Amino acid sequence: MPGTGAGPGGGVQSVVRAFRILDVLAEADGELSISELAVAVDLPQPTIHRIVATLRELGHAHQVTNRRYTLGPRLIGLGDRASRVLGVRAGDDLRAVAERFGETANMAVLDGERAVYTAQVPGPHSMRTFTEVGRRVPLHSTGVGKALLAQLPAPAARRLLGSTGLPAATDHTVVDPDRLLDELDRIRRAGFAVDAEEQEVGVFCVAVPLAGVSSPAALSVSGPIHRFGHDRVPEAAALLRAAAEGIGGTLA
């Protein structure tokens, strides 16, 4: 492969270039040609072609019939395993949150246009919220989703919401883009997000961003609103922040 010298930060240049190409393919959320990749990565087309050919051989890139490229199927397994590892690392901290409040604690990451749950510790009550690991949920109507959106630059969040729309899950769902963008500004300042029956009637959730990971991630605690509501927000936000710092410390 070309460019095997040192890249940014002393990394191997060819590896840096390969991951830049994968990042561009991921952000495109579709298919790109060699020429489009060359423009996006700012490298000559022959260089892009050689790197993409290697990624294709490894299963990390896939060529479709019109000679355009997408992310390859091998990345699915890698992503699943990475999410499980992150979930294992978060387990003890999530367990502390669940035990403190007696409610369900979760971790989620941004996956395209949705949030996907990667770890969960259920509360001890027979009546509790339950979201299976691997479930994908909307961003605009969930606590974790809004905490994830708030980690994006405002223009990127606006573009993403414009792509997904803001369908109403309940009568409490925010469906006005400008109102939601204002809420994201408040989340950035306050450091936590709230879902007050916006995704599911009777369910209240507090979520915080998780720093120190390569893509947006968030922690949350949720429960029935008659047992876990607005009066628990300050305490829940503080404990979730402490858990996020603990998890972030294991990733440093």
Side-chain angles (χ1 to χ4, degrees):
M1 290 181 67
T4 55
V12 177
Q13 190 178 65
S14 58
V15 176
V16 172
R17 289 173 169 179
F19 276 97
R20 285 174 61 195
I21 290 170
L22 291 174
D23 283 341
V24 168
L25 286 172
E27 291 170 4
D29 198 25
E31 306 166 359
L32 292 176
S33 66
I34 291 294
S35 60
E36 289 169 332
L37 283 168
V39 171
V41 182
D42 192 22
L43 287 172
Q45 288 192 35
T47 301
I48 295 292
H49 190 275
R50 287 193 292 269
I51 297 174
V52 169
T54 300
L55 291 171
R56 182 183 170 194
E57 290 176 6
L58 295 172
H60 298 321
H62 172 69
Q63 182 180 349
V64 294
T65 54
N66 58 357
R67 298 185 63 79
R68 296 169 69 84
Y69 293 87
T70 66
L71 293 177
R74 183 84 180 271
L75 294 171
I76 297 173
L78 291 176
D80 287 343
R81 286 190 287 275
S83 294
R84 285 198 296 270
V85 169
L86 186 55
V88 169
R89 291 185 177 186
D92 289 342
D93 294 281
L94 289 178
R95 192 168 297 107
V97 173
E99 290 174 354
R100 173 65 185 84
F101 290 99
E103 306 294 352
T104 300
N106 300 286
M107 183 172 70
V109 299
L110 182 63
D111 183 21
E113 297 180 344
R114 294 259 171 165
V116 58
Y117 288 100
T118 56
Q120 181 183 85
V121 176
H125 299 284
S126 57
M127 180 181 180
R128 64 192 184 211
T129 60
F130 178 77
T131 299
E132 65 272 17
V133 171
R135 182 186 175 195
R136 293 163 55 84
V137 296
L139 297 171
H140 71 288
S141 58
T142 58
V144 290
K146 288 188 284 185
L148 294 171
L149 279 171
Q151 296 175 60
L152 302 177
R158 182 182 287 276
R159 286 195 300 270
L160 187 52
L161 293 172
S163 174
T164 63
L166 283 75
T170 75
D171 290 341
H172 302 279
T173 307
V174 177
V175 295
D176 182 320
D178 291 329
R179 181 182 163 195
L180 183 59
L181 289 167
D182 287 343
E183 183 176 352
L184 295 181
D185 284 337
R186 290 194 296 272
I187 292 168
R188 293 184 186 103
R189 292 193 301 269
F192 67 87
V194 169
D195 160 15
E197 301 186 272
E198 296 163 48
Q199 175 64 20
E200 185 177 348
V201 173
V203 175
F204 190 87
C205 173
V206 180
V208 304
L210 174 61
V213 292
S214 58
S215 60
L219 306 182
S220 72
V221 58
S222 59
I225 197 166
H226 69 270
R227 198 171 61 214
F228 179 75
H230 286 281
D231 60 320
R232 308 298 297 277
V233 170
E235 184 184 7
L239 191 59
L240 285 168
R241 285 195 201 99
E245 289 175 2
I247 295 168
T250 68
L251 303 174

